[in-house]
Amino acid sequence: MELPRAWQRPDPLRGLDRISWVEVYDGRGGAGRLPHLLRSLMDPSADVRLDAVSSLADRLLTDDTVSEASFCAVPYLVELGASYKVAGDVRDRVIFLLAAMALAGKGFTEDGRRTHRRWNALGRELPRTAPDWLTQTRHAVAQGAPKIFEALASERVACLVALACAVPEKLPAFVLGLVQDMVELPGEEMLADAAEIAVALLKRSPELLGVDLPRPKVLGEGLVRPAHQPREVAAALMGYRFALISAYGDEGAW
């Protein structure tokens, strides 16, 4: 019997040593530890694997900032997330990490400074000085894992996970603000309808609604929406964060 295609994939870390990682910048200096951390994702010990995921997230997505190391690591993360030779507790977290890297709001420059995603009044993203690791990392995820990128671009993701998140008895503290933001997105009927249903479900627990509190303009704890950010970007961020909370709770995947 022929093995399924996912089982026929080659070693997900093939070619890892062809990159001179000590010369790759990761926001903290050289990325010499990255090969060890990537290999640790396939360790027999679950504790070692999960510690490696957390360390990788810290280095590849430092405070929502990607770097040259993030860009270089994408092909290996794509293979790790797609290979059934890799334990499931790693694959799903790797997929979330790829999604987070595609949605990153900042990128390191060669001198260690940070550039930010910004838009003009027409909602068009403003260019950044090369090397633009933010754009390059996002493009690498889109090329290597198009299904992840397509899902992030679809507002259906935000709708479905918003509804799923509204059903549990206990909700993350910032869910209300996100749902209310979704209700008021102009021209997005499906998204608004889903948010209205979520609000109706939330009314089972009036204390969670905080109706007398000002509506927070945030996409997560401490993450303020940038000026002129297009609604599709906001929806992708909402969908990702709802899905992350639904899967791993308040503490997130790492």
Side-chain angles (χ1 to χ4, degrees):
M1 183 179 69
E2 186 179 7
L3 289 173
R5 185 175 300 177
W7 284 94
Q8 299 177 42
R9 298 181 78 95
D11 175 11
L13 298 179
R14 65 191 183 283
L16 186 63
D17 293 327
R18 295 175 189 166
I19 297 175
S20 180
W21 290 98
V22 293
E23 299 176 6
V24 174
Y25 184 69
D26 70 348
R28 300 182 178 184
R33 285 204 68 222
L34 286 184
H36 168 71
L37 293 174
L38 287 166
R39 289 190 176 97
S40 296
L41 296 181
M42 301 181 70
D43 194 275
S45 168
D47 289 340
V48 171
R49 293 194 300 268
L50 297 182
D51 284 345
V53 171
S54 179
S55 296
L56 276 170
D58 287 341
R59 288 177 174 271
L60 300 180
L61 193 65
T62 307
D63 298 327
D64 192 38
T65 309
V66 292
S67 63
E68 180 184 12
S70 311
F71 168 75
C72 291
V74 166
Y76 303 105
L77 294 175
V78 167
E79 289 297 324
L80 287 162
S83 175
Y84 278 82
K85 299 175 184 177
V86 180
D89 60 0
V90 167
R91 291 201 312 273
D92 59 355
R93 285 166 172 79
V94 163
I95 291 170
F96 269 108
L97 178 55
L98 283 167
M101 289 163 63
L103 291 169
K106 291 169 281 187
F108 280 113
T109 61
E110 288 184 319
D111 59 2
R113 298 182 181 181
R114 302 187 196 216
T115 57
H116 296 251
R117 290 190 78 181
R118 290 191 173 92
W119 295 265
N120 63 20
L122 299 176
R124 294 173 181 167
E125 191 165 354
L126 298 174
R128 289 170 291 274
T129 304
D132 180 3
W133 297 118
L134 204 163
T135 298
Q136 291 194 55
T137 299
R138 190 161 68 241
H139 180 71
V141 175
Q143 292 294 307
K147 294 299 182 185
I148 293 175
F149 207 81
E150 289 169 15
L152 287 172
S154 171
E155 291 166 354
R156 292 178 182 274
V157 176
C159 295
L160 295 175
V161 293
L163 292 175
C165 224
V167 174
E169 293 297 325
K170 185 178 180 181
L171 296 169
F174 58 88
V175 165
L176 171 66
L178 301 186
V179 171
Q180 289 181 333
D181 273 350
M182 290 164 66
V183 171
E184 297 181 11
L185 279 176
E188 304 300 332
E189 294 182 4
M190 183 178 64
L191 194 62
D193 288 346
E196 291 281 11
I197 297 170
V199 169
L201 291 170
L202 278 168
K203 288 181 178 177
R204 295 178 307 166
S205 305
E207 68 277 6
L208 293 177
L209 282 172
V211 291
D212 296 329
L213 299 176
R215 182 170 62 86
K217 281 284 187 182
V218 296
L219 294 173
E221 292 289 355
L223 183 61
V224 180
R225 179 186 299 165
H228 309 305
Q229 178 177 274
R231 58 175 177 265
E232 59 269 20
V233 176
L237 284 164
M238 289 176 189
Y240 165 76
R241 291 184 181 279
F242 272 126
L244 189 67
I245 292 295
S246 297
Y248 300 107
D250 290 318
E251 298 304 317
W254 332 122

